[in-house]
């Protein structure tokens, strides 16, 4: 159910969960200091309790009550990438943030989204925690309709149109005096090199203390995805708009082979379309370079293709 901004504010402040737009993906939001409201998020998504939530803020200075110190490059990162698709994980003063938000970790993930409606909302509600607005393990939501598919037509959604980048934020984690990438996302790793003076390394997804969410199955449609550079004569293929595929195949084109932004913006819509059309198996054209935003795409596809 689409609701206006003032109703979203009212619901959130009274401890309800509301789906909100951001420029990356839709989020399932609650106020950060109401553990009962936050429990509802975990339940709605069927999210593992050991997977912590990102806190969304309106201004960089809103972080100050939660931390003892700011890492040296914090100002540079926030000036260059906020508002926007960057999430920063920082050590925090643990008793300032409910345990359920942090999943018991001594750190907290923070982000200032750039979607104008999200910013307007955050100015009125204060900090909101929000995971992506999808059932745990399934493709994220990049439109109001996706949220309604997962949570029902009656679920309150602050409608903000289609998400412009369409893939989650990049997560940078500060630890041992340096930044590492906890999750690839809408900002490519190379973009941080100019700001930090070094290319942040990608953390191992196997380390549970680093970015817990990376351990879980993610982004997956019901359909079986076959990542490939060769294609059958028949069947479904997800591919590029500037390439030819065998004539008898059903081809879903998600963008040009020189435009990873365009492809990522159609990623979740395409994965959801497979289920909508009851397609059981699809080949995905993964003939693209292992660099820049293509790395985000292959990471999502690798996770989405894991079978339970
Ligand atoms: O673009 C986004 O980041 C979207 C929008 C709604 O802001 N949010 C999002 O949230 O993707 P979610 O919950 O789907 O993914 C959050 C990721 C998870 O992998 C989680 O483990 C990681 O952030 N995370 C959260 N808190 C963390 C922490 N303290 N340390 C390390 N990783 C953390
Ligand atoms: Mg998610």
């Amino acid at each position: 159910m689409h609701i206006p901004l003032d109703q979203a504010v009212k619901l959130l402040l009274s401890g309800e969960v509301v789906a909100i737009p951001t420029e990356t993906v839709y989020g399932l939001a609650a106020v950060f200091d109401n553990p009962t409201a936050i429990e509802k998020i975990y339940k709605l998504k069927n999210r593992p309790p050991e997977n912590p939530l990102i806190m969304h803020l309106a201004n960089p200075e809103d972080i100050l009550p939660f931390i003892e110190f700011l890492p040296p490059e914090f100002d540079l990162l926030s000036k260059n990438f906020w508002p926007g698709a960057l999430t920063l994980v920082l050590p925090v003063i643990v008793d300032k943030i409910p345990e359920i938000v942090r999943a018991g970790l001594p750190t907290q993930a923070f982000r200032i989204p750039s979607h104008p409606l999200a910013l307007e909302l955050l100015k009125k509600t204060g900090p909101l925690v929000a995971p992506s607005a999808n059932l745990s393990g399934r493709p994220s939501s990049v439109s109001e309709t996706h949220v309604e598919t997962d949570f029902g037509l009656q679920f309150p959604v602050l409608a903000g149109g289609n998400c412009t980048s369409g893939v989650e934020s990049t997560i940078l984690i500060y630890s041992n005096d340096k930044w590492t990438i906890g999750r690839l996302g809408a900002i490519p790793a190379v973009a941080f090199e100019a700001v930090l003076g070094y290319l942040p390394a990608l953390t191992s997804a196997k380390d549970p203390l680093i970015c817990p969410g990376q351990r879980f199955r993610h982004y997956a449609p019901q359909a079986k995805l076959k990542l490939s550079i060769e294609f059958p004569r028949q069947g479904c293929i997800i591919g590029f708009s500037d390439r030819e595929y065998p004539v008898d195949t059903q081809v879903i084109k998600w963008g040009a082979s020189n435009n990873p932004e365009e492809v990522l913006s159609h990623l979740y819509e395409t994965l959801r379309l497979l289920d909508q059309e009851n397609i059981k198996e699809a080949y995905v054209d993964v003939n693209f370079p292992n660099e820049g935003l293509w790395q985000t795409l292959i990471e999502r596809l690798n996770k989405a293709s894991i079978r339970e």
Side-chain angles (χ1 to χ4, degrees):
M1 183 176 38
H2 296 188
I3 58 168
L5 184 74
D6 57 344
Q7 200 184 341
V9 174
K10 219 185 271 168
L11 285 172
L12 287 162
L13 295 181
S14 69
E16 293 303 324
V17 176
V18 173
I20 64 164
T22 85
E23 73 284 13
T24 59
V25 298
Y26 271 74
L28 219 48
V31 288
F32 87 98
D33 54 356
N34 182 337
T36 317
I38 296 164
E39 261 169 47
K40 290 181 199 164
I41 295 181
Y42 279 88
K43 230 183 233 147
L44 275 162
K45 281 191 62 125
N46 194 20
R47 184 179 176 95
E50 57 275 36
N51 194 5
L53 304 177
I54 296 173
M55 188 189 291
H56 297 71
L57 307 165
N59 312 288
E61 59 271 23
D62 296 346
I63 281 189
L64 297 177
F66 305 114
I67 54 161
E68 246 153 26
F69 73 98
L70 279 174
E73 300 90 353
F74 175 86
D75 279 346
L76 271 177
L77 287 168
S78 75
K79 282 201 181 88
N80 277 279
F81 299 103
W82 277 352
L86 172 64
T87 292
L88 295 178
V89 173
L90 309 175
V92 286
I93 308 169
V94 287
D95 56 10
K96 303 276 186 196
I97 303 174
E99 200 172 332
I100 188 169
V101 176
R102 300 173 280 109
L105 295 175
T107 55
Q108 177 61 46
F110 298 99
R111 178 162 107 82
I112 302 182
S114 66
H115 194 294
L117 206 49
L119 280 174
E120 216 180 320
L121 178 74
L122 286 161
K123 282 186 187 132
K124 298 190 170 165
T125 57
L128 295 174
V129 293
S132 52
N134 53 277
L135 299 170
S136 208
R138 319 294 304 164
S140 305
S141 291
V142 295
S143 73
E144 299 96 336
T145 316
H146 296 162
V147 178
E148 288 169 350
T149 304
D150 284 12
F151 301 105
L153 288 173
Q154 293 311 308
F155 194 81
V157 184
L158 177 63
N162 291 354
C163 304
T164 47
S165 62
V167 70
E168 291 84 351
S169 60
T170 302
I171 300 181
L172 278 186
I173 302 178
Y174 186 72
S175 162
N176 296 326
D177 304 326
K178 62 178 193 322
W179 297 91
T180 50
I181 294 183
R183 177 181 70 185
L184 292 166
I187 301 175
V190 286
F192 301 112
E193 197 172 5
V195 175
L196 294 174
Y198 60 92
L199 189 67
L202 189 60
T203 56
S204 160
K206 289 194 181 70
D207 187 340
L209 294 174
I210 292 183
C211 195
Q214 295 304 90
R215 277 179 297 153
F216 303 110
R217 183 169 183 260
H218 260 320
Y219 321 115
Q222 307 284 355
K224 184 174 182 181
L225 298 182
K226 294 188 162 181
L227 312 188
S228 184
I229 56 171
E230 285 172 2
F231 307 101
R233 302 170 72 87
Q234 283 174 335
C236 178
I237 298 172
I238 299 173
F240 297 102
S241 47
D242 52 342
R243 286 194 190 155
E244 302 288 333
Y245 299 94
V247 280
D248 289 334
T249 53
Q250 175 191 358
V251 183
I252 304 172
K253 298 196 165 176
W254 57 7
S257 63
N258 63 356
N259 191 342
E261 282 94 351
E262 182 189 15
V263 174
L264 282 170
S265 74
H266 294 126
L267 167 66
Y268 294 126
E269 176 189 275
T270 306
L271 298 185
R272 282 174 174 268
L273 182 71
L274 297 177
D275 289 347
Q276 226 168 287
E277 304 220 330
N278 208 15
I279 293 168
K280 301 286 181 228
E281 179 183 282
Y283 282 76
V284 185
D285 184 349
V286 290
N287 188 2
F288 50 76
N290 182 21
E291 61 186 30
L293 283 177
W294 295 113
Q295 292 179 326
T296 301
L297 180 64
I298 196 67
E299 189 272 341
R300 296 299 191 273
L301 289 173
N302 281 331
K303 285 229 169 69
S305 59
I306 295 172
R307 308 294 292 168
E308 273 169 317

